[in-house]
Amino acid sequence: MTRVKICGHTRIEDVQATVDAGADAIGVISEVPVETPREVPRERAADLFDAVPPLVSGVLVTMPETIEDARELVAATEPDTVQVHGTLDPDEVQEFTESIPQSVLVALDHDADLGAYAAAADGLVVDSLDEAGGGGTGRTHDWDRTAEIIETLGVPVLLAGGLTPENVTDAVETVRPFGVDTASGVEREGGIKDTHAVTQFVERADTDQVVA
């Protein structure tokens, strides 16, 4: 079964609705150097993670300048998992991974050196990133090429980048990732989730239940 992460939560009611829809992971973005309506202060991030129930993972999404910055934010927000975008090199990612109890994901563009980061992290998020390394671009990438790359990696891989309820089934059938990740694809406006779209996305990511 394909895991589903819905990212970019800013409101507790959206966290609760996403959990009710059956998502496996709740993404919260904090302390990133790019403009996004989905970023929240660390205090708000901590409150949102408090609303995530047991057996659902709260994922902190951040772009730290240093390992120490990342550790400090993790201590303040207490997520279950940490997702860093390509601001740390593979050696720094490995050091960070070994220094905290949470699992660490690294979000990378599909044409980055995925192998080096796969050896350092617990998993990868293959995304369509902007020039600053941020996600949420709403752009898809070459799924066939990504599928070939995933077969060579020894860690779980989440597919991201332009995924919506309309295309997630095709994406899963093409790439066969461990999980899928979306933010803007299930919103009615920046940072505000569309509950119906979230529910559709979760249902359609489970290709075994999709009726042709």
Side-chain angles (χ1 to χ4, degrees):
M1 181 175 178
T2 307
R3 278 69 168 182
V4 176
K5 171 173 168 272
I6 305 295
C7 199
H9 289 81
T10 62
R11 308 189 306 170
I12 288 177
E13 56 263 44
D14 287 344
V15 169
Q16 294 168 338
T18 298
V19 170
D20 290 343
D24 302 285
I26 305 293
V28 177
I29 301 169
S30 187
E31 300 194 7
V32 296
V34 296
E35 288 292 329
T36 171
R38 303 170 192 91
E39 182 181 12
V40 298
R42 60 172 60 186
E43 296 82 6
R44 181 62 173 168
D47 290 341
L48 292 166
F49 288 134
D50 282 342
V52 178
L55 305 183
V56 177
S57 182
V59 183
L60 171 66
V61 179
T62 188
M63 298 174 68
E65 291 187 5
T66 68
I67 297 172
E68 187 53 43
D69 288 342
R71 289 189 190 120
E72 182 183 340
L73 183 59
V74 168
T77 57
E78 298 186 336
D80 300 303
T81 302
V82 185
Q83 177 180 319
V84 297
H85 285 242
T87 52
L88 303 178
D89 65 32
D91 289 340
E92 291 172 321
V93 169
Q94 182 167 352
E95 181 180 343
F96 177 52
T97 301
E98 293 173 349
S99 70
I100 62 171
Q102 290 89 348
S103 297
V104 175
L105 305 174
V106 180
L108 299 162
D109 202 86
H110 71 288
D111 58 0
D113 185 359
L114 301 181
Y117 282 95
D122 297 301
L124 302 180
V125 180
V126 180
D127 202 346
S128 298
L129 304 181
D130 60 24
E131 293 181 358
T137 63
R139 300 194 307 264
T140 59
H141 50 80
D142 187 337
W143 293 339
D144 290 318
R145 181 166 178 247
T146 301
E148 293 175 359
I149 295 171
I150 285 177
E151 291 183 357
T152 70
L153 302 174
V155 298
V157 175
L158 275 67
L159 179 68
L163 297 183
T164 67
E166 289 70 36
N167 67 12
V168 67
T169 300
D170 287 342
V172 170
E173 291 178 340
T174 301
V175 180
R176 295 295 175 184
F178 176 81
V180 287
D181 186 356
T182 189
S184 61
V186 291
E187 290 182 345
R188 64 173 185 265
E189 59 182 279
I192 307 299
K193 301 307 175 195
D194 181 328
T195 301
H196 179 65
V198 170
T199 300
Q200 283 191 322
F201 187 90
V202 173
E203 292 175 348
R204 294 174 182 179
D206 185 0
T207 57
D208 290 336
Q209 296 187 29
V210 172
V211 178

